[in-house]
Amino acid sequence: ISMDKPHSWQAMVFQKPLLLNRSVSANLHFVLKRRGLRGEERRAAVDRYLVLADLESATNRPAKVLSGGEAQRLAIVRALAMEPKLLFLDEPTASLDPGAKSGVERLLQNIMQRGVRMILVTQDIGQAGRLATDVAVMHQGRVVEHGPAEEVLNSPRSVEASAFLAHQI
């Protein structure tokens, strides 16, 4: 999957995946067709995205019957299929069991290694530590602290960030 020439400036993945009422592969075909891929090029891209999301065994299954983790991985690679420069993710692992959460995190790490920048909204401090390079802590709609993940998570300077990290707010 080439990340050299983004076709979209940004893409968004919501906490509750928004999927088409079609098969897993048809969800990817839909996006790739809009991106201008045709024929064998599009089929090959679908296969690459299915492998990336570890969904190759689900290719013909209806998206509506996927588990929560499978659905979220499909939503993520469908957004990625637009080759965005920036991927926004809103609580992508909320309500997922530990195994599904781990699968989503592995996918996100793989995507980051490909050079896609992400803004990830999470309340999971451990997840922020595993995935983030920078962290912004918000309180009452304002950023109260921002900096390198290790610094913010291990030595917060603001009262609000300290309280959040101590699970007090």
Side-chain angles (χ1 to χ4, degrees):
I1 301 168
S2 167
M3 297 295 164
D4 296 339
K5 296 179 183 175
H7 289 82
S8 175
W9 184 81
Q10 63 187 13
M12 175 79 182
V13 177
F14 298 96
Q15 181 174 338
K16 184 174 181 345
L18 300 173
L19 300 172
L20 299 174
N21 193 18
R22 299 177 183 182
S23 71
V24 169
S25 63
N27 267 268
L28 289 165
H29 275 282
F30 176 81
V31 170
L32 293 166
K33 183 177 182 179
R34 265 116 202 104
R35 211 183 86 197
L37 274 64
R38 302 282 179 243
E40 185 53 40
E41 183 183 19
R42 187 168 70 217
R43 284 187 289 279
V46 166
D47 290 343
R48 288 191 304 271
Y49 284 111
L50 289 170
V51 168
L52 179 63
D54 194 23
L55 290 172
E56 56 269 24
S57 65
T59 187
N60 295 317
R61 285 182 24 213
K64 66 182 177 184
V65 302
L66 294 174
S67 71
E70 291 170 330
Q72 196 61 283
R73 293 193 318 268
L74 176 57
I76 291 168
V77 294
R78 194 179 61 187
L80 186 65
M82 291 305 295
E83 295 192 346
K85 290 182 182 179
L86 183 61
L87 184 60
F88 290 94
L89 299 121
D90 180 20
E91 298 272 359
T93 60
S95 303
L96 296 182
D97 64 63
K101 181 183 280 195
S102 178
V104 169
E105 286 186 8
R106 275 193 309 276
L107 174 58
L108 295 177
Q109 288 169 334
N110 190 317
I111 292 168
M112 286 187 300
Q113 290 170 355
R114 295 166 183 268
V116 176
R117 292 182 157 274
M118 292 185 212
I119 293 179
L120 171 70
V121 175
T122 185
Q123 295 182 43
D124 183 333
I125 298 164
Q127 183 174 71
R130 291 186 297 276
L131 296 175
T133 54
D134 290 331
V135 169
V137 178
M138 294 187 71
H139 180 69
Q140 297 183 340
R142 296 186 308 108
V143 174
V144 295
E145 189 158 345
H146 174 253
E150 189 172 318
E151 286 179 26
V152 172
L153 297 175
N154 294 324
S155 303
R157 295 179 310 261
S158 71
V159 172
E160 297 89 351
S162 295
F164 175 73
L165 293 169
H167 304 288
Q168 295 171 347
I169 58 171

